[in-house]
Amino acid sequence: MKKNIIFFLAFLLATLRLTADEGMWIPLYLEQFNEQQMQEMGMKISAADIYNENNVSMKDAIVMFGGGCTGELISSEGLLLTNYHCGYRYVQQHSALEHDYLTTGFWAMSRKEELPNPELKVTFLIRMEDVTEQVLKNVADGTPQSARDSIIKVNIKTIKVEATEGTHYEAAVVPFYFGNQYFLFVNEIFTDVRLVGAPPSNIGKFGGDTDNWMWPRHTGDFALFRIYADKENKPADYSEENVPYKPKKYFEISLDGIQEDDFTFVFGYPARTNQYLPSYAIEETVDVTNPIRIDIRTKRLSIMEEAMNSDPKIRIQYSAKHANAANGWKKWQGENKGIRRVSGIAQKRIFESEFQEWADENPDRQAKYGTLLSDFQDNYETQRDYQIAYTYFTEAISSIELLRFAERFQPLVELCSKETPDTEKINEELKELKWQVANFYKDYYHPIDRKIAEAGLKAYLTNVSPEFTPLCLMDAGKRDLNDFVNNLFNRTVLLDQSKITALLNTFDPEQKKTRDNLIKEIEKDAAYQLITAAKTFIDASVVARLKTLTANNTRLQQLYIKAQMEMLPERRFYPDANFTLRVAYGNVKGFQPADAVTYHYFTTLDGIMEKENPEVYDYVVEPKLKQLYYDKDYGRYGADDGSMRVAFVATNHTTGGNSGSPVLNADGHLIGINFDRCWEGTMSDLMYDPVVCRNISLDIRYCLFIIDKFAGATHLIEEMTIVQ
Ligand code: ARG
Ligand code: GLU
């Protein structure tokens, strides 16, 4: 029996090692590693059409949108498409009671009406280059880690300076394969990016948190922006004189739609994955950190939900906070479920015993790699208690809003405490703080926070050993927790909005008296004292140690992946996602998430009507959308079968950051916008399984239908190039 299982697992392992769909590939090497396979899978264009630094290519139509999403150009006038959830905060910032764009949607009917966003920038990749040799110059095999790090730092600085000399470009040098390889990225960054259009929330966020990470999905998750440049078409900060940016390249849009098994690829900025971890790391995630995070968030979310359901005002105050907490909460559950389903830890263990055998085969290898796995094991074992304490601290203590708010005053207190305070810095900090303080009170409801504080403290005190418990929390443990929390919340001055606002408004950085007064008022506050003392303790006794252990793990990983490449020369190793531009490719495909359940590969407007529920915020359908549905007024955007397609799933290997990425067909035409994954397959950040890993994309036809038929913004459609 046991033998059978092992055989089955070994088989699984062999098949899982690398399927056609797995991987986030480096655009620079597509021709070398992927073009042939992509073409065999149906692609009709060439790798050079996708990435080419000497000629215009698709990469010139792609941006990193803000700090963590992707966007693509869709007109010669700088029109940019991304997800609604990526543009959400900008739509929110432009909203007010008298023009609530979240509820009504926003459509600039002329260029003049497009809204600037001072905080938003978009980044184009000009070129990338392997600079490993230059980065590792003067680093010898035996160079100790700290010396190695400083040599690398100096080398990187030189490379960046040389790469951007005499240009307005910016450069970044990023490690790949845990520092076995380094790439230079030369970027062009535009800072005048204006909001052009966004559907109402009940389209752009349809299904809300309930449907998040789920299939079948009906979210119209898109928003439109426009990049502006100076008269020379160069980046410039916002100015009325600026003109729409003329991109080197923009995507043509196909209305042909998709069939099951069609080839698709996704071109964008995936943020982080960890495909090459040892079993001990997966174990830590699945058995230790994920369960802690899920458990605490379950409590936190239900406390929020209870209050949100009791009062619409609280619902508005907490919807973004709830969405944030719920996003990870759901993803980690899917990740754990997925890893268990494929016996992920056992799979890794089998591979590791093969690896050990290979390493022990000759003395040279044994010297280099023989103790790698046992070193990993030691390290993760040592790390465990620290990791538990750290996870509890971040999830259960740092998530108490009052404490996070209190901590927010620390930089200002520190700046004011300097012997010769830098008033310019103080002013900058003050401006930022005032803004955050106003936002805090606007969206704060203390009864929720009190309950969360009590639950969090209880979780920490019951689960973390005294050795890792700050003294001030030990104190709490000696008393009735409810008392402790009430005492803290009643005593703190930080919840007294008028006092704090007055304190900041009368604060004059030039005057020692007001500086001293601010220091005194804040430093004597109970909440401030609690969080600063707790943080100091955690930093010294947990974080510092974790940093060393993480550095050890990275060093081991660097060796481990190098060894794996030696051991499996036939295998194509793609690097983990690291916020750099990548290509993922696969096929449109439904899936079977569970026994007897089959998921179709697309959803339609019929599904929106099925989900409609005027009583439930997430499932309200706009009357206008309903009318279009009843009239079947889909224009040229309807599918051949008469339906209005909304979303589809495919096997492209994506992760966070791929949100907003263009989804392209065999001809390189835009057919969708990536916006999520199915939660059964979120394990793909650690291990990709073609059976359940699916990315979710908005069908471009639904997006155009909303712009054209629903919003009547036909002038935007006219800007685009549509092929049919
Ligand atoms: N799951 C998607 C992502 O990871 C969407 C998140 C935003 N939507 C939400 N309902 N929380 O970014
Ligand atoms: N929604 C995610 C994002 O904002 C993409 C989902 C995923 O993790 O694949 O990037």
Side-chain angles (χ1 to χ4, degrees), residues 68-69 83 85-86 212-213 327 331 654-660 674-677 682 685 695:
C69 279
N83 286 147
H85 80 259
C86 297
N212 190 25
W213 297 111
N327 198 40
K331 184 186 134 166
T654 57
T655 188
N658 269 125
S659 274
N674 186 76
F675 69 95
D676 212 357
R677 270 175 298 162
T682 50
D685 287 348
N695 66 314

PDB file of all heavy atoms in Angstrom, residues 68-69 83 85-86 212-213 327 331 654-660 674-677 682 685 695, ligand 2:
ATOM      1  N   GLY A  68       1.981  48.348  -7.693  1.00  0.00           N
ATOM      2  CA  GLY A  68       1.746  46.913  -7.612  1.00  0.00           C
ATOM      3  C   GLY A  68       0.783  46.302  -8.601  1.00  0.00           C
ATOM      4  O   GLY A  68       0.427  45.141  -8.469  1.00  0.00           O
ATOM      5  N   CYS A  69       0.358  47.046  -9.600  1.00  0.00           N
ATOM      6  CA  CYS A  69      -0.540  46.463 -10.602  1.00  0.00           C
ATOM      7  C   CYS A  69       0.087  46.624 -11.981  1.00  0.00           C
ATOM      8  O   CYS A  69       1.176  47.163 -12.128  1.00  0.00           O
ATOM      9  CB  CYS A  69      -1.901  47.165 -10.581  1.00  0.00           C
ATOM     10  SG  CYS A  69      -3.017  46.597  -9.278  1.00  0.00           S
ATOM     11  N   ASN A  83      -7.246  47.373 -13.826  1.00  0.00           N
ATOM     12  CA  ASN A  83      -8.405  46.883 -13.072  1.00  0.00           C
ATOM     13  C   ASN A  83      -9.070  48.001 -12.283  1.00  0.00           C
ATOM     14  O   ASN A  83      -8.414  48.941 -11.850  1.00  0.00           O
ATOM     15  CB  ASN A  83      -7.999  45.802 -12.067  1.00  0.00           C
ATOM     16  CG  ASN A  83      -7.670  44.470 -12.695  1.00  0.00           C
ATOM     17  OD1 ASN A  83      -6.820  43.758 -12.189  1.00  0.00           O
ATOM     18  ND2 ASN A  83      -8.335  44.114 -13.787  1.00  0.00           N
ATOM     19  N   HIS A  85     -10.093  47.491  -9.289  1.00  0.00           N
ATOM     20  CA  HIS A  85      -9.532  47.420  -7.936  1.00  0.00           C
ATOM     21  C   HIS A  85      -8.137  48.033  -7.847  1.00  0.00           C
ATOM     22  O   HIS A  85      -7.689  48.391  -6.774  1.00  0.00           O
ATOM     23  CB  HIS A  85      -9.618  46.000  -7.343  1.00  0.00           C
ATOM     24  CG  HIS A  85      -8.568  45.030  -7.795  1.00  0.00           C
ATOM     25  ND1 HIS A  85      -8.796  44.071  -8.766  1.00  0.00           N
ATOM     26  CD2 HIS A  85      -7.291  44.833  -7.388  1.00  0.00           C
ATOM     27  CE1 HIS A  85      -7.704  43.338  -8.929  1.00  0.00           C
ATOM     28  NE2 HIS A  85      -6.778  43.767  -8.102  1.00  0.00           N
ATOM     29  N   CYS A  86      -7.460  48.183  -8.992  1.00  0.00           N
ATOM     30  CA  CYS A  86      -6.160  48.873  -8.989  1.00  0.00           C
ATOM     31  C   CYS A  86      -6.351  50.394  -8.992  1.00  0.00           C
ATOM     32  O   CYS A  86      -5.527  51.126  -8.452  1.00  0.00           O
ATOM     33  CB  CYS A  86      -5.341  48.471 -10.212  1.00  0.00           C
ATOM     34  SG  CYS A  86      -4.927  46.717 -10.240  1.00  0.00           S
ATOM     35  N   ASN A 212     -14.829  37.360  -4.261  1.00  0.00           N
ATOM     36  CA  ASN A 212     -13.385  37.518  -4.446  1.00  0.00           C
ATOM     37  C   ASN A 212     -12.691  36.147  -4.453  1.00  0.00           C
ATOM     38  O   ASN A 212     -13.027  35.272  -3.673  1.00  0.00           O
ATOM     39  CB  ASN A 212     -12.845  38.400  -3.310  1.00  0.00           C
ATOM     40  CG  ASN A 212     -11.404  38.823  -3.523  1.00  0.00           C
ATOM     41  OD1 ASN A 212     -10.909  38.873  -4.650  1.00  0.00           O
ATOM     42  ND2 ASN A 212     -10.718  39.131  -2.424  1.00  0.00           N
ATOM     43  N   TRP A 213     -11.729  35.958  -5.347  1.00  0.00           N
ATOM     44  CA  TRP A 213     -10.991  34.696  -5.531  1.00  0.00           C
ATOM     45  C   TRP A 213     -11.886  33.545  -6.024  1.00  0.00           C
ATOM     46  O   TRP A 213     -11.462  32.392  -5.959  1.00  0.00           O
ATOM     47  CB  TRP A 213     -10.326  34.201  -4.235  1.00  0.00           C
ATOM     48  CG  TRP A 213      -9.283  35.091  -3.655  1.00  0.00           C
ATOM     49  CD1 TRP A 213      -9.403  35.795  -2.488  1.00  0.00           C
ATOM     50  CD2 TRP A 213      -7.973  35.384  -4.159  1.00  0.00           C
ATOM     51  NE1 TRP A 213      -8.251  36.508  -2.255  1.00  0.00           N
ATOM     52  CE2 TRP A 213      -7.358  36.261  -3.259  1.00  0.00           C
ATOM     53  CE3 TRP A 213      -7.275  34.970  -5.297  1.00  0.00           C
ATOM     54  CZ2 TRP A 213      -6.069  36.754  -3.442  1.00  0.00           C
ATOM     55  CZ3 TRP A 213      -5.989  35.458  -5.487  1.00  0.00           C
ATOM     56  CH2 TRP A 213      -5.405  36.338  -4.564  1.00  0.00           C
ATOM     57  N   ASN A 327      -8.935  39.554   1.776  1.00  0.00           N
ATOM     58  CA  ASN A 327      -8.233  39.125   0.564  1.00  0.00           C
ATOM     59  C   ASN A 327      -7.159  38.072   0.887  1.00  0.00           C
ATOM     60  O   ASN A 327      -7.145  36.989   0.304  1.00  0.00           O
ATOM     61  CB  ASN A 327      -7.620  40.336  -0.133  1.00  0.00           C
ATOM     62  CG  ASN A 327      -7.270  40.061  -1.589  1.00  0.00           C
ATOM     63  OD1 ASN A 327      -8.014  39.399  -2.302  1.00  0.00           O
ATOM     64  ND2 ASN A 327      -6.135  40.550  -2.020  1.00  0.00           N
ATOM     65  N   LYS A 331      -7.181  33.827   0.383  1.00  0.00           N
ATOM     66  CA  LYS A 331      -6.111  33.286  -0.441  1.00  0.00           C
ATOM     67  C   LYS A 331      -5.331  32.207   0.303  1.00  0.00           C
ATOM     68  O   LYS A 331      -5.026  31.147  -0.246  1.00  0.00           O
ATOM     69  CB  LYS A 331      -5.169  34.420  -0.845  1.00  0.00           C
ATOM     70  CG  LYS A 331      -4.077  33.976  -1.770  1.00  0.00           C
ATOM     71  CD  LYS A 331      -3.105  35.068  -2.032  1.00  0.00           C
ATOM     72  CE  LYS A 331      -1.724  34.493  -1.903  1.00  0.00           C
ATOM     73  NZ  LYS A 331      -0.706  35.363  -2.437  1.00  0.00           N
ATOM     74  N   THR A 654      -0.171  33.125 -12.929  1.00  0.00           N
ATOM     75  CA  THR A 654      -0.136  34.536 -12.532  1.00  0.00           C
ATOM     76  C   THR A 654      -0.137  34.651 -11.016  1.00  0.00           C
ATOM     77  O   THR A 654      -0.371  33.682 -10.315  1.00  0.00           O
ATOM     78  CB  THR A 654      -1.369  35.283 -13.069  1.00  0.00           C
ATOM     79  OG1 THR A 654      -2.533  34.611 -12.585  1.00  0.00           O
ATOM     80  CG2 THR A 654      -1.394  35.341 -14.567  1.00  0.00           C
ATOM     81  N   THR A 655       0.103  35.855 -10.538  1.00  0.00           N
ATOM     82  CA  THR A 655       0.001  36.095  -9.101  1.00  0.00           C
ATOM     83  C   THR A 655      -0.355  37.557  -8.866  1.00  0.00           C
ATOM     84  O   THR A 655      -0.618  38.295  -9.822  1.00  0.00           O
ATOM     85  CB  THR A 655       1.311  35.705  -8.379  1.00  0.00           C
ATOM     86  OG1 THR A 655       1.091  35.774  -6.958  1.00  0.00           O
ATOM     87  CG2 THR A 655       2.457  36.647  -8.736  1.00  0.00           C
ATOM     88  N   GLY A 656      -0.392  37.971  -7.595  1.00  0.00           N
ATOM     89  CA  GLY A 656      -0.655  39.366  -7.264  1.00  0.00           C
ATOM     90  C   GLY A 656       0.291  40.264  -8.057  1.00  0.00           C
ATOM     91  O   GLY A 656       1.458  39.922  -8.247  1.00  0.00           O
ATOM     92  N   GLY A 657      -0.206  41.405  -8.543  1.00  0.00           N
ATOM     93  CA  GLY A 657       0.623  42.274  -9.373  1.00  0.00           C
ATOM     94  C   GLY A 657       0.299  42.091 -10.841  1.00  0.00           C
ATOM     95  O   GLY A 657       0.427  43.005 -11.645  1.00  0.00           O
ATOM     96  N   ASN A 658      -0.173  40.887 -11.174  1.00  0.00           N
ATOM     97  CA  ASN A 658      -0.648  40.640 -12.533  1.00  0.00           C
ATOM     98  C   ASN A 658      -2.027  41.277 -12.744  1.00  0.00           C
ATOM     99  O   ASN A 658      -2.553  41.269 -13.847  1.00  0.00           O
ATOM    100  CB  ASN A 658      -0.760  39.147 -12.838  1.00  0.00           C
ATOM    101  CG  ASN A 658       0.503  38.572 -13.443  1.00  0.00           C
ATOM    102  OD1 ASN A 658       1.064  37.611 -12.932  1.00  0.00           O
ATOM    103  ND2 ASN A 658       0.944  39.169 -14.534  1.00  0.00           N
ATOM    104  N   SER A 659      -2.590  41.793 -11.691  1.00  0.00           N
ATOM    105  CA  SER A 659      -3.874  42.466 -11.833  1.00  0.00           C
ATOM    106  C   SER A 659      -3.760  43.596 -12.832  1.00  0.00           C
ATOM    107  O   SER A 659      -2.856  44.419 -12.738  1.00  0.00           O
ATOM    108  CB  SER A 659      -4.328  43.034 -10.496  1.00  0.00           C
ATOM    109  OG  SER A 659      -5.002  42.056  -9.788  1.00  0.00           O
ATOM    110  N   GLY A 660      -4.675  43.605 -13.789  1.00  0.00           N
ATOM    111  CA  GLY A 660      -4.666  44.632 -14.819  1.00  0.00           C
ATOM    112  C   GLY A 660      -3.862  44.231 -16.045  1.00  0.00           C
ATOM    113  O   GLY A 660      -3.880  44.932 -17.053  1.00  0.00           O
ATOM    114  N   ASN A 674      -6.530  40.562 -16.972  1.00  0.00           N
ATOM    115  CA  ASN A 674      -6.386  39.649 -15.834  1.00  0.00           C
ATOM    116  C   ASN A 674      -6.805  40.371 -14.547  1.00  0.00           C
ATOM    117  O   ASN A 674      -6.483  41.529 -14.345  1.00  0.00           O
ATOM    118  CB  ASN A 674      -4.918  39.235 -15.732  1.00  0.00           C
ATOM    119  CG  ASN A 674      -4.697  38.173 -14.673  1.00  0.00           C
ATOM    120  OD1 ASN A 674      -5.009  37.004 -14.895  1.00  0.00           O
ATOM    121  ND2 ASN A 674      -4.201  38.561 -13.518  1.00  0.00           N
ATOM    122  N   PHE A 675      -7.554  39.698 -13.664  1.00  0.00           N
ATOM    123  CA  PHE A 675      -7.831  40.377 -12.389  1.00  0.00           C
ATOM    124  C   PHE A 675      -7.826  39.490 -11.160  1.00  0.00           C
ATOM    125  O   PHE A 675      -7.862  39.993 -10.026  1.00  0.00           O
ATOM    126  CB  PHE A 675      -9.135  41.182 -12.446  1.00  0.00           C
ATOM    127  CG  PHE A 675     -10.426  40.387 -12.520  1.00  0.00           C
ATOM    128  CD1 PHE A 675     -11.142  40.098 -11.366  1.00  0.00           C
ATOM    129  CD2 PHE A 675     -10.936  39.978 -13.735  1.00  0.00           C
ATOM    130  CE1 PHE A 675     -12.353  39.392 -11.433  1.00  0.00           C
ATOM    131  CE2 PHE A 675     -12.132  39.274 -13.812  1.00  0.00           C
ATOM    132  CZ  PHE A 675     -12.841  38.980 -12.663  1.00  0.00           C
ATOM    133  N   ASP A 676      -7.750  38.173 -11.313  1.00  0.00           N
ATOM    134  CA  ASP A 676      -7.757  37.346 -10.104  1.00  0.00           C
ATOM    135  C   ASP A 676      -7.325  35.924 -10.439  1.00  0.00           C
ATOM    136  O   ASP A 676      -7.015  35.604 -11.590  1.00  0.00           O
ATOM    137  CB  ASP A 676      -9.162  37.336  -9.485  1.00  0.00           C
ATOM    138  CG  ASP A 676      -9.123  37.218  -7.958  1.00  0.00           C
ATOM    139  OD1 ASP A 676      -8.028  37.096  -7.399  1.00  0.00           O
ATOM    140  OD2 ASP A 676     -10.191  37.255  -7.341  1.00  0.00           O
ATOM    141  N   ARG A 677      -7.294  35.081  -9.390  1.00  0.00           N
ATOM    142  CA  ARG A 677      -7.121  33.648  -9.592  1.00  0.00           C
ATOM    143  C   ARG A 677      -8.251  32.942  -8.862  1.00  0.00           C
ATOM    144  O   ARG A 677      -8.888  33.526  -7.986  1.00  0.00           O
ATOM    145  CB  ARG A 677      -5.792  33.176  -8.981  1.00  0.00           C
ATOM    146  CG  ARG A 677      -4.619  33.225  -9.921  1.00  0.00           C
ATOM    147  CD  ARG A 677      -3.343  32.854  -9.202  1.00  0.00           C
ATOM    148  NE  ARG A 677      -3.050  33.792  -8.128  1.00  0.00           N
ATOM    149  CZ  ARG A 677      -2.217  33.552  -7.135  1.00  0.00           C
ATOM    150  NH1 ARG A 677      -1.610  32.379  -7.036  1.00  0.00           N
ATOM    151  NH2 ARG A 677      -1.992  34.463  -6.211  1.00  0.00           N
ATOM    152  N   THR A 682      -4.683  28.944  -5.560  1.00  0.00           N
ATOM    153  CA  THR A 682      -3.741  29.984  -5.123  1.00  0.00           C
ATOM    154  C   THR A 682      -2.433  29.380  -4.612  1.00  0.00           C
ATOM    155  O   THR A 682      -1.460  30.091  -4.392  1.00  0.00           O
ATOM    156  CB  THR A 682      -4.342  30.889  -4.033  1.00  0.00           C
ATOM    157  OG1 THR A 682      -4.903  30.064  -3.012  1.00  0.00           O
ATOM    158  CG2 THR A 682      -5.419  31.781  -4.595  1.00  0.00           C
ATOM    159  N   ASP A 685       1.446  29.998  -6.059  1.00  0.00           N
ATOM    160  CA  ASP A 685       2.573  30.822  -5.619  1.00  0.00           C
ATOM    161  C   ASP A 685       3.706  29.953  -5.071  1.00  0.00           C
ATOM    162  O   ASP A 685       4.849  30.376  -5.001  1.00  0.00           O
ATOM    163  CB  ASP A 685       2.142  31.794  -4.506  1.00  0.00           C
ATOM    164  CG  ASP A 685       1.278  32.926  -5.049  1.00  0.00           C
ATOM    165  OD1 ASP A 685       1.206  33.086  -6.280  1.00  0.00           O
ATOM    166  OD2 ASP A 685       0.667  33.639  -4.235  1.00  0.00           O
ATOM    167  N   ASN A 695      -6.174  31.457 -13.858  1.00  0.00           N
ATOM    168  CA  ASN A 695      -6.295  32.907 -13.704  1.00  0.00           C
ATOM    169  C   ASN A 695      -7.667  33.337 -14.227  1.00  0.00           C
ATOM    170  O   ASN A 695      -8.242  32.668 -15.094  1.00  0.00           O
ATOM    171  CB  ASN A 695      -5.167  33.638 -14.447  1.00  0.00           C
ATOM    172  CG  ASN A 695      -5.227  33.475 -15.944  1.00  0.00           C
ATOM    173  OD1 ASN A 695      -5.414  32.360 -16.438  1.00  0.00           O
ATOM    174  ND2 ASN A 695      -5.068  34.555 -16.673  1.00  0.00           N
TER     175      ASN A 695
HETATM  176  N1  GLU B   2      -6.051  40.395  -7.606  1.00  0.00           N
HETATM  177  C1  GLU B   2      -4.634  40.187  -7.657  1.00  0.00           C
HETATM  178  C2  GLU B   2      -3.836  41.478  -7.879  1.00  0.00           C
HETATM  179  O1  GLU B   2      -4.231  42.531  -7.454  1.00  0.00           O
HETATM  180  C3  GLU B   2      -4.354  39.175  -8.697  1.00  0.00           C
HETATM  181  C4  GLU B   2      -4.788  37.917  -8.162  1.00  0.00           C
HETATM  182  C5  GLU B   2      -3.661  36.965  -7.985  1.00  0.00           C
HETATM  183  O2  GLU B   2      -3.040  36.954  -6.923  1.00  0.00           O
HETATM  184  O3  GLU B   2      -3.435  36.244  -8.966  1.00  0.00           O
HETATM  185  O4  GLU B   2      -2.756  41.467  -8.396  1.00  0.00           O
END
